[in-house]
Amino acid sequence: MNSAPFRVAVVGSGPAGFYAAGHLLAADLAVEVDLFERLPTPWGLVRLGVAPDHPKIKTVSKAFEKIAAKPGFRFLGNVEIGRDISSAELAGLYDAVVYTVGAQTDRRLGIPGEDLPGSIPATALVAWYNGHPDFADLDVDLSGERAVVIGAGNVAIDVARMLVLTEEELRATDTADAAIEAIAGAGLREVVMLARRGPAQAAFTTPEVIELQELAGADAIVDPAELVLDAASAAAVPGDTNAERNLDALATIAAMPVTGKPRRLQVRFCVSPVEILGDGKVEAIVIEHNRLEADEQGRIQAVPTGERETIPCSLVLRSVGYRGIAIAGVPFDERAGTIANRDGRIVDADGVVVPGAYCAGWIKRGPSGVIGTNKKCATGTVDGLLADVAEGRLAGGAAASAERVSALLAERGVEVVTNKGWAAIDAVELARGTEQGRPRVKLTRWDELLAAARG
Ligand SMILES: Cc1cc2nc3c(=O)[nH]c(=O)nc-3n(C[C@H](O)[C@H](O)[C@H](O)COP(=O)(O)OP(=O)(O)OC[C@H]3O[C@@H](n4cnc5c(N)ncnc54)[C@H](O)[C@@H]3O)c2cc1C
């Protein structure tokens, strides 16, 4: 009988990574978890995605801190799998590996002009205003009068709302300092959000729409004519609670007087981007109007009408979805943009399970669902792993020790940020926050983060 603990590497410290680690450490098994993270800071999109003006949502990090304090847990920040350690090496060093790397890039629109300067994926803008160190120098030109946000999900609404917050609203949050200065000082007067389908199909959720009714520095605008439902949508809405509530909240906005606040946030429906125009940078966007039709399966589709319109703008934010990135050596489903898997067990190109390899979170399911969705998802994956151990499909006991992994990283010159290093970063950010009456003031550059981690 082997008495060595079962050693698991979890790759990526967002919600899925923490929930996977937590469920493993709560199991009836002598287990050690090394949680790898490419950034010096943990929590994934809870730190670097969730809008800074939604601080309550970010408090889920308290649950992650409890997991990080459990015996058997190690945080290994500033270690990128695929760069500092390969996936093949990881498979040799651990009894099992769980990939929870999230969706690190954006989907493309596939229209001319998409790559003009001034056309930015929402993924990048979100990372910039949240202080992601890879995006500290993102060139966000907010000097023009109008920005257009393409998309009708919660990320699109976050991005549109963040751009019209007042300096006072921003200073109450942990928005990156550079973003506060840029947004507060911007010449921006109007943000227009474009939804391909109608108000009954928009993916955003009602609390986000209600927030638009309460903006201090911007009038929210919805054209009442765009809320008149086509027959197919009208038939589909009854019983669809999100759609019913969204329509109510949008109708409230449509009825609100425009009071002349410094900025406007307009939501438009049934329009698709066709081309982004500009000589060396974004100057306008061409959109086409759509009508809605139910297809054979009853799904309501946008059908272009041929009627086009040009909206002058200097910034286009493309918010049409996140997408996973392949890690060398880990089977990837290009179509879905996820790691190829069956219920969290990674499968090769022939659909055969790769022993000891698992995934959870957005890289398993694709980029949808709220933070809590990843708990069920990660728990499901780990239950599969534990069943594999219990039923003898994973022997265990072959893993390298924690010391050996640390020595390997040291040999390679990787400056690992441990939980102690992260605690030091956290303390600096919180102290700065206290000085300024803010939840925290983030360090947004690699050198600052690593210096703080050294204490
Ligand atoms: C803009 C935005 C706003 C959101 N707002 C909300 C909200 O208000 N409420 C809510 O409930 N949900 C919200 N969500 C959804 C929520 O953030 C996700 O459901 C959740 O973060 C997905 O968890 P994850 O662990 O799969 O991925 P992530 O949170 O993305 O974590 C993945 C981690 O893996 C790391 N990583 C990637 N590659 C490697 C590698 N090769 N080696 C090591 N580490 C790696 C990344 O740096 C990252 O830290 C929002 C999402 C976005 C994008």
Side-chain angles (χ1 to χ4, degrees), residues 11-17 36-39 43-46 49-51 54 57 79-82 100-104 126 129 155 158 208 322 327 360-363 365 368-372 374:
V11 183
S13 69
F36 288 94
E37 168 57 53
R38 64 176 291 273
L39 297 173
W43 309 343
L45 287 169
V46 170
V50 171
H54 288 170
I57 291 167
V79 184
E80 181 170 326
I81 302 309
T100 52
V101 290
Q104 298 295 308
V126 163
Y129 65 58
V155 175
D158 273 358
E208 279 68 28
Y322 281 55
I327 293 180
W362 275 16
I363 199 62
R365 318 185 307 276
S368 67
V370 292
I371 293 163
N374 302 293

Side-chain angles (χ1 to χ4, degrees), residues 190 218-224 252-266:
E190 183 171 72
D219 285 310
I221 297 172
V222 173
D223 180 351
T252 303
I253 293 176
M256 278 166 43
V258 176
T259 58
K261 290 178 184 171
R263 289 177 177 160
R264 294 153 56 104
L265 194 167
Q266 187 179 12

Side-chain angles (χ1 to χ4, degrees), residues 284-305:
I285 184 165
V286 181
I287 59 170
E288 182 158 1
H289 292 239
N290 299 320
R291 65 168 188 277
L292 298 177
E293 271 180 18
D295 66 12
E296 282 163 9
Q297 284 82 41
R299 282 180 308 230
I300 293 168
Q301 307 286 4
V303 181
T305 61

Side-chain angles (χ1 to χ4, degrees), residues 98-391:
V98 185
Y99 287 93
T100 52
V101 290
Q104 298 295 308
T105 189
D106 61 299
R107 287 189 186 277
R108 307 270 305 162
L109 282 171
I111 62 168
E114 184 165 8
D115 294 316
L116 274 173
S119 164
I120 302 175
T123 47
L125 192 92
V126 163
W128 170 73
Y129 65 58
N130 268 309
H132 191 304
D134 285 348
F135 294 85
D137 294 315
L138 185 75
D139 182 15
V140 187
D141 181 0
L142 295 169
S143 60
E145 286 212 347
R146 186 178 295 110
V148 168
V149 179
I150 301 169
N154 278 343
V155 175
I157 237 176
D158 273 358
V159 162
R161 187 187 66 253
M162 281 295 294
L163 289 181
V164 300
L165 292 186
T166 61
E167 180 162 4
E168 202 185 356
E169 285 170 318
L170 289 165
R171 293 232 177 262
T173 71
D174 67 359
T175 306
D177 281 346
I180 297 181
E181 272 155 41
I183 296 171
L188 201 66
R189 292 286 160 266
E190 183 171 72
V191 177
V192 183
M193 255 181 83
L194 305 178
R196 192 166 50 90
R197 296 191 293 166
Q201 290 83 33
F204 45 61
T205 46
T206 312
E208 279 68 28
V209 185
I210 291 172
E211 269 178 297
L212 302 185
Q213 300 165 2
E214 295 153 4
L215 295 167
D219 285 310
I221 297 172
V222 173
D223 180 351
E226 293 192 3
L227 299 183
V228 177
L229 298 185
D230 58 290
S233 299
V237 165
D240 178 343
T241 321
N242 191 51
E244 284 173 341
R245 289 185 186 155
N246 277 352
L247 285 165
D248 278 351
L250 288 164
T252 303
I253 293 176
M256 278 166 43
V258 176
T259 58
K261 290 178 184 171
R263 289 177 177 160
R264 294 153 56 104
L265 194 167
Q266 187 179 12
V267 190
R268 294 193 56 184
F269 295 98
C270 288
V271 283
S272 295
V274 177
E275 183 174 3
I276 301 171
L277 304 174
D279 184 7
K281 63 181 178 57
V282 171
E283 289 169 7
I285 184 165
V286 181
I287 59 170
E288 182 158 1
H289 292 239
N290 299 320
R291 65 168 188 277
L292 298 177
E293 271 180 18
D295 66 12
E296 282 163 9
Q297 284 82 41
R299 282 180 308 230
I300 293 168
Q301 307 286 4
V303 181
T305 61
E307 185 193 343
R308 293 190 173 186
E309 189 185 328
T310 301
I311 306 177
C313 60
S314 52
L315 183 65
V316 171
L317 295 155
R318 312 181 313 260
S319 180
V320 289
Y322 281 55
R323 187 182 154 81
I325 294 183
I327 293 180
V330 182
F332 195 70
D333 179 341
E334 278 297 338
R335 196 190 46 79
T338 55
I339 290 179
N341 75 92
R342 214 162 40 240
D343 297 331
R345 289 187 180 89
I346 298 182
V347 294
D348 66 15
D350 299 321
V352 177
V353 168
V354 180
Y358 303 84
C359 60
W362 275 16
I363 199 62
K364 167 181 162 187
R365 318 185 307 276
S368 67
V370 292
I371 293 163
T373 319
N374 302 293
K375 184 169 191 180
K376 194 162 174 260
C377 175
T379 304
T381 291
V382 169
D383 282 342
L385 187 161
L386 295 171
D388 289 345
V389 176
E391 290 158 28

Side-chain angles (χ1 to χ4, degrees), residues 18-43:
F18 269 101
Y19 288 130
H23 199 51
L24 277 162
L25 291 165
D28 186 16
L29 179 75
V31 65
E32 289 177 358
V33 176
D34 280 355
L35 180 55
F36 288 94
E37 168 57 53
R38 64 176 291 273
L39 297 173
T41 55
W43 309 343

